[in-house]
Coordinates of all heavy atoms in Angstrom, one line a residue:
F1 N -1.0 -1.6 -9.9 CA -1.1 -1.3 -8.5 C -2.4 -1.8 -7.9 O -2.5 -1.8 -6.6 CB -0.9 0.2 -8.3 CG 0.5 0.7 -8.6 CD1 0.7 2.0 -8.7 CD2 1.5 -0.2 -8.8 CE1 2.0 2.5 -9.0 CE2 2.8 0.3 -9.1 CZ 3.1 1.6 -9.2
S2 N -3.4 -2.2 -8.7 CA -4.6 -2.7 -8.1 C -4.5 -4.1 -7.6 O -5.4 -4.6 -6.9 CB -5.8 -2.6 -9.1 OG -5.5 -3.4 -10.2
T3 N -3.5 -4.8 -8.0 CA -3.4 -6.2 -7.7 C -2.1 -6.6 -6.8 O -1.7 -7.7 -6.7 CB -3.3 -7.1 -9.0 OG1 -2.3 -6.6 -9.8 CG2 -4.7 -7.0 -9.7
L4 N -1.5 -5.6 -6.2 CA -0.3 -5.8 -5.4 C -0.7 -6.5 -4.1 O -1.9 -6.4 -3.7 CB 0.4 -4.5 -5.1 CG 1.0 -3.7 -6.2 CD1 1.5 -2.3 -5.7 CD2 2.1 -4.5 -6.9
D5 N 0.2 -7.2 -3.5 CA 0.0 -7.9 -2.2 C 0.2 -6.9 -1.1 O 1.2 -6.8 -0.5 CB 1.0 -9.1 -2.1 CG 0.7 -9.9 -0.9 OD1 -0.2 -9.5 0.0 OD2 1.2 -11.0 -0.8
Y6 N -0.9 -6.1 -0.9 CA -0.8 -5.0 0.1 C -0.7 -5.5 1.5 O -0.1 -4.9 2.4 CB -2.0 -4.1 -0.1 CG -1.8 -3.2 -1.3 CD1 -2.6 -3.4 -2.4 CD2 -1.0 -2.1 -1.2 CE1 -2.5 -2.6 -3.5 CE2 -0.8 -1.3 -2.4 CZ -1.6 -1.5 -3.5 OH -1.4 -0.7 -4.6
A7 N -1.3 -6.7 1.8 CA -1.1 -7.3 3.2 C 0.3 -7.6 3.5 O 0.8 -7.3 4.6 CB -2.0 -8.5 3.3
K8 N 1.0 -8.1 2.5 CA 2.5 -8.4 2.7 C 3.2 -7.1 2.8 O 4.1 -7.0 3.7 CB 3.0 -9.2 1.5 CG 4.5 -9.5 1.5 CD 4.9 -10.4 2.7 CE 6.4 -10.7 2.6 NZ 6.8 -11.5 3.8
M9 N 2.9 -6.1 2.0 CA 3.6 -4.8 2.0 C 3.4 -4.1 3.4 O 4.3 -3.5 3.9 CB 3.1 -3.9 0.9 CG 3.5 -4.4 -0.5 SD 2.7 -3.6 -1.9 CE 3.2 -1.9 -1.7
A10 N 2.2 -4.2 3.9 CA 1.9 -3.6 5.2 C 2.8 -4.2 6.3 O 3.2 -3.5 7.2 CB 0.4 -3.7 5.6
Q11 N 3.0 -5.5 6.3 CA 3.8 -6.2 7.3 C 5.3 -5.7 7.2 O 6.0 -5.8 8.2 CB 3.7 -7.7 7.1 CG 2.3 -8.3 7.4 CD 2.2 -9.7 7.0 OE1 3.2 -10.4 6.6 NE2 1.0 -10.3 7.1
L12 N 5.7 -5.3 6.0 CA 7.1 -4.9 5.8 C 7.4 -3.5 6.3 O 8.5 -3.0 6.3 CB 7.5 -5.1 4.4 CG 7.5 -6.5 3.8 CD1 7.7 -6.5 2.3 CD2 8.7 -7.3 4.5
M13 N 6.3 -2.7 6.5 CA 6.5 -1.3 6.8 C 6.6 -1.0 8.3 O 6.1 -1.8 9.1 CB 5.3 -0.5 6.2 CG 5.2 -0.6 4.7 SD 3.7 0.2 4.0 CE 4.0 1.9 4.5
I14 N 7.2 0.1 8.6 CA 7.3 0.5 10.0 C 5.9 1.0 10.5 O 5.4 0.7 11.6 CB 8.4 1.6 10.2 CG1 9.7 1.1 9.8 CG2 8.4 2.2 11.6 CD1 10.8 2.1 9.8
H15 N 5.3 1.9 9.7 CA 4.0 2.4 9.9 C 3.2 2.1 8.6 O 3.4 2.7 7.6 CB 3.9 3.9 10.2 CG 4.7 4.3 11.4 ND1 5.9 4.9 11.4 CD2 4.4 4.1 12.7 CE1 6.4 5.1 12.6 NE2 5.4 4.6 13.5
P16 N 2.2 1.2 8.6 CA 1.4 0.9 7.4 C 0.4 2.0 7.1 O -0.8 1.8 7.4 CB 0.8 -0.5 7.8 CG 0.7 -0.5 9.2 CD 1.8 0.3 9.8
V17 N 0.9 3.1 6.5 CA 0.1 4.2 6.1 C 0.2 4.3 4.6 O 1.2 4.2 4.0 CB 0.6 5.5 6.8 CG1 -0.2 6.7 6.2 CG2 0.5 5.4 8.3
I18 N -1.0 4.6 4.0 CA -0.9 4.8 2.5 C -1.8 6.1 2.2 O -2.9 6.2 2.7 CB -1.4 3.6 1.7 CG1 -1.2 3.9 0.2 CG2 -2.9 3.2 2.0 CD1 -1.1 2.6 -0.6
I19 N -1.2 7.0 1.5 CA -1.9 8.1 0.9 C -2.2 7.8 -0.5 O -1.3 7.7 -1.3 CB -1.0 9.4 1.0 CG1 -0.4 9.6 2.4 CG2 -1.9 10.6 0.6 CD1 -1.4 9.8 3.5
D20 N -3.5 7.7 -0.8 CA -3.9 7.4 -2.2 C -4.1 8.7 -2.9 O -5.2 9.3 -2.9 CB -5.2 6.6 -2.1 CG -5.7 6.0 -3.5 OD1 -5.0 6.4 -4.5 OD2 -6.7 5.3 -3.6
G21 N -3.1 9.1 -3.6 CA -3.1 10.4 -4.3 C -4.0 10.4 -5.6 O -4.1 11.5 -6.2
R22 N -4.6 9.3 -5.9 CA -5.4 9.2 -7.1 C -6.8 8.6 -6.8 O -7.6 8.4 -7.8 CB -4.7 8.4 -8.2 CG -3.4 9.0 -8.7 CD -3.6 10.4 -9.4 NE -2.3 10.9 -9.8 CZ -2.2 12.1 -10.4 NH1 -3.2 12.9 -10.5 NH2 -1.0 12.6 -10.7
N23 N -7.1 8.4 -5.5 CA -8.3 7.7 -5.2 C -8.5 6.5 -6.0 O -9.6 6.2 -6.5 CB -9.5 8.7 -5.3 CG -9.5 9.8 -4.3 OD1 -8.8 9.6 -3.3 ND2 -10.3 10.8 -4.5
F24 N -7.5 5.7 -6.2 CA -7.4 4.6 -7.1 C -7.8 3.3 -6.4 O -8.3 2.3 -7.0 CB -6.1 4.5 -7.7 CG -5.9 3.3 -8.7 CD1 -6.5 3.3 -9.9 CD2 -5.0 2.3 -8.4 CE1 -6.3 2.2 -10.8 CE2 -4.8 1.2 -9.2 CZ -5.5 1.2 -10.4

């Protein structure tokens, strides 16, 4: 999960919100 394409994932979301439950 440290190397996912988060920019692409944010574009696919309705609201680009992430709760980092492990402070990872």
Side-chain angles (χ1 to χ4, degrees):
F1 292 166
S2 64
T3 56
L4 295 176
D5 188 347
Y6 284 104
K8 176 65 174 176
M9 291 166 63
Q11 294 172 5
L12 294 170
M13 295 175 64
I14 297 172
H15 299 105
V17 173
I18 189 161
I19 312 297
D20 186 354
R22 299 296 180 183
N23 289 344
F24 178 69

